[in-house]
Amino acid sequence: MSLLTRDMACQELVELVTAYFDGSLSRSDRRRFRAHIRGCDHCTAYVEQMRQVIEASGRLTEEDVDPRAREELLEAFRGWSEAR
Ligand SMILES: [Zn+2]
């Protein structure tokens, strides 16, 4: 799967997750975001995890996303796309 396709890539979703929750995504990005989640168990789990962070803290900022966890996730995404 190429990052240049119209479909949202896992990595892009991870980048956009804070914007998704604070409502700053454009309508088309929001639609692509939701469409991606429907077809991707990994991102469903990631978004659910972020939702729990928001429920616990009342907000989500870039600083709330553990950079190490985020890096590990992006590593995992790279592995998945290479496996395809
Ligand atoms: Zn995904």
Side-chain angles (χ1 to χ4, degrees):
M1 193 170 81
S2 165
L3 291 175
L4 299 175
T5 60
R6 272 179 60 248
D7 290 338
M8 186 173 283
C10 291
Q11 189 169 347
E12 191 180 358
L13 186 140
V14 171
E15 299 295 334
L16 292 177
V17 72
T18 53
Y20 175 74
F21 280 115
D22 72 20
S24 64
L25 273 191
S26 71
R27 244 164 67 178
S28 63
D29 278 348
R30 209 174 168 81
R31 196 160 46 224
R32 288 164 67 224
F33 192 100
R34 289 199 176 123
H36 182 98
I37 290 171
R38 263 199 300 276
C40 184
D41 289 346
H42 306 297
C43 289
T44 301
Y46 180 70
V47 168
E48 192 48 45
Q49 190 186 328
M50 289 304 114
R51 194 189 302 280
Q52 283 166 17
V53 170
I54 294 164
E55 281 173 7
S57 67
R59 72 202 167 87
L60 181 71
T61 65
E62 290 292 337
E63 295 82 60
D64 291 323
V65 181
D66 180 353
R68 218 167 38 200
R70 184 189 171 106
E71 262 315 298
E72 281 172 17
L73 193 75
L74 290 174
E75 276 299 318
F77 285 154
R78 277 194 280 274
W80 293 327
S81 50
E82 278 162 19
R84 274 186 200 120

